[in-house]
Amino acid sequence: MDFSILGQYVKCKLPGVPVWLAGIGMINMRRVTKSLLLAQIMFRNPPEFLDRLEAAVTSRLEKRIGRQFQYPAISATETIAKVRELFQGEVNLDEVEKLESDVVKRMQLLEGIAPFTTAHHADFSLARLCYILCRFLRPDIVVETGVAYGVTTAFILKALESNGKGNLHSVDLPPLGKNADKFVGYLVPEELKDRWVLHRGVSKRVFPELLPQLKKVDIFVHDSLHTYWNIRRELQLVTPYLSRPAIVIADDIQSNLAFQEWVLRTSPTTWWTFKEKDKDSVAGLAVFL
Ligand SMILES: C[S@@+](CC[C@H](N)C(=O)[O-])C[C@H]1O[C@@H](n2cnc3c(N)ncnc32)[C@H](O)[C@@H]1O
């Protein structure tokens, strides 16, 4: 985020306040807003308050005492080539180019009104991969955790639309921010929302009810909270529901061993890890045939 722009804005409102000071003021305003929202949630929705507290505590704790893992990662381009080889086919990416430019335009509209950080946006290389996998596998049911403004959501829904079948169930507890709920999936074009069901809440609460209803999951995308305990729990909960064939993609796995432990336990037909194109993130992909 460009705090100098925010700073300029505050400076206009408060003449005499230097830009850098105004910028820091805006950061602190965000902190204050978050603290006030959290206090409201504590009274209105104690379970959600506890979920947010758990996320904050485990994230901080794992940053201090967790074990980083160096995954041997190939590139996103190599990953797409591998997927093409695996499914022995081609996917026309013309409509993805168009979607990507629409999403970029929507991202620009977000500037200045975004209630929570746009650093949540998934890398386009990951989003494209989600699209390609959905086109190859033609899933009935896709489940994803972590929507934020909805980059991966838009790409998955586009693929389902082109397939002419399938639904996406997304699970998301929005980041703290004023009217944050209204912005979840902001980047998803309206005409793609017919095949989309958004479940509000943390995966550990939503999954035990949702997964038995769905009965099976063809593609699972983890992109929520990337702590060891959360990745481990989501993968464990979804595994009994994975159909054959099925694909699992997990974003931002580099900070802990959860993905590695899970593949060793579940023995997918094939799996590998890859570095995203424009983000310093490693994602994992597992295929069950
Ligand atoms: C990295 S962002 C998702 C990015 C998104 N997939 C995209 O393509 O732009 C993570 C999102 O997951 C939400 N979240 C965090 N912990 C969660 C949990 N335990 N269950 C569900 N959603 C969670 C965050 O609030 C945020 O909206």
Side-chain angles (χ1 to χ4, degrees), residues 10 29 49 56 75 89 96 118 136 150 178 207 220 231 238 240 255 283-284:
V10 176
M29 275 308 291
F49 174 77
S75 71
V96 167
T118 52
F136 274 132
K178 197 160 181 271
F207 272 6
F220 173 61
I231 298 180
V238 88
S255 302

Side-chain angles (χ1 to χ4, degrees), residues 13-284:
K13 301 271 167 200
L14 301 169
V17 177
V19 171
W20 63 269
L21 190 60
I24 292 174
M26 289 303 288
I27 300 174
N28 286 334
M29 275 308 291
R30 219 170 225 196
R31 285 223 175 118
V32 171
T33 311
K34 277 187 175 181
S35 307
L36 288 174
L37 286 169
L38 204 57
Q40 266 179 14
I41 293 169
M42 185 166 69
F43 291 107
R44 289 194 189 149
N45 191 343
E48 183 180 318
F49 174 77
L50 291 176
D51 293 340
R52 290 187 186 274
L53 198 66
E54 183 200 310
V57 171
T58 50
S59 303
R60 289 210 171 99
L61 210 64
E62 287 189 19
K63 262 186 201 138
R64 280 177 180 233
I65 59 168
R67 263 177 62 201
Q68 286 266 331
F69 189 66
Q70 284 294 330
Y71 283 99
I74 62 171
S75 71
T77 315
E78 285 170 310
T79 286
I80 291 174
K82 249 172 113 88
V83 166
R84 284 193 171 122
E85 201 179 302
L86 193 69
F87 289 95
Q88 299 192 338
E90 273 305 316
V91 167
N92 185 338
L93 291 178
D94 288 351
E95 63 176 22
V96 167
E97 308 285 343
K98 164 87 178 61
L99 176 67
E100 199 168 303
S101 74
D102 290 348
V103 168
V104 168
K105 280 186 201 137
R106 298 276 295 166
M107 281 175 173
Q108 285 156 359
L109 292 179
L110 257 181
E111 282 169 23
I113 58 163
F116 51 85
T117 175
T118 52
H120 283 298
H121 290 336
D123 193 70
F124 280 128
S125 63
L126 180 78
R128 276 176 179 240
L129 185 68
C130 289
Y131 171 89
I132 291 169
L133 290 168
C134 286
R135 293 290 280 138
F136 274 132
L137 208 67
R138 300 180 55 77
D140 295 318
I141 296 172
V142 183
V143 172
E144 74 165 347
T145 59
V147 178
Y149 294 109
V151 182
T152 48
T153 312
F155 280 68
I156 294 168
L157 287 171
K158 186 73 199 173
L160 299 186
E161 186 207 46
S162 300
N163 290 346
K165 65 182 269 220
N167 290 302
L168 167 65
H169 291 262
S170 303
V171 180
D172 189 86
L173 180 67
L176 283 173
K178 197 160 181 271
N179 293 326
D181 279 83
K182 292 200 178 125
F183 283 80
V184 172
Y186 180 89
L187 301 172
V188 180
E190 212 50 47
E191 67 274 12
L192 294 180
K193 289 186 178 168
D194 288 358
R195 296 182 180 276
W196 190 34
V197 189
L198 175 61
H199 305 263
R200 189 188 189 280
V202 288
S203 47
K204 72 166 181 182
R205 287 191 197 275
V206 175
F207 272 6
E209 246 186 69
L210 175 66
L211 295 176
Q213 277 171 27
L214 298 178
K215 295 193 174 66
K216 69 155 188 168
V217 175
D218 301 310
I219 296 186
F220 173 61
V221 181
H222 156 87
D223 196 12
S224 58
L225 182 69
H226 308 299
T227 58
Y228 173 81
W229 288 109
N230 194 54
I231 298 180
R232 181 188 149 110
R233 186 166 49 206
E234 284 188 6
L235 291 174
Q236 261 178 0
L237 286 169
V238 88
T239 300
Y241 295 91
L242 291 175
S243 49
R244 295 292 183 274
I247 288 174
V248 171
I249 307 165
D251 190 19
D252 271 313
I253 55 167
Q254 68 281 352
S255 302
N256 55 65
L257 281 162
F259 186 76
Q260 167 81 4
E261 286 178 5
W262 174 77
V263 284
L264 290 178
R265 261 199 317 275
T266 49
S267 305
T269 314
T270 178
W271 69 276
W272 66 90
T273 54
F274 63 96
K275 163 102 189 54
E276 291 166 31
K277 196 161 169 272
D278 299 314
K279 228 178 165 182
D280 197 15
S281 296
V282 174

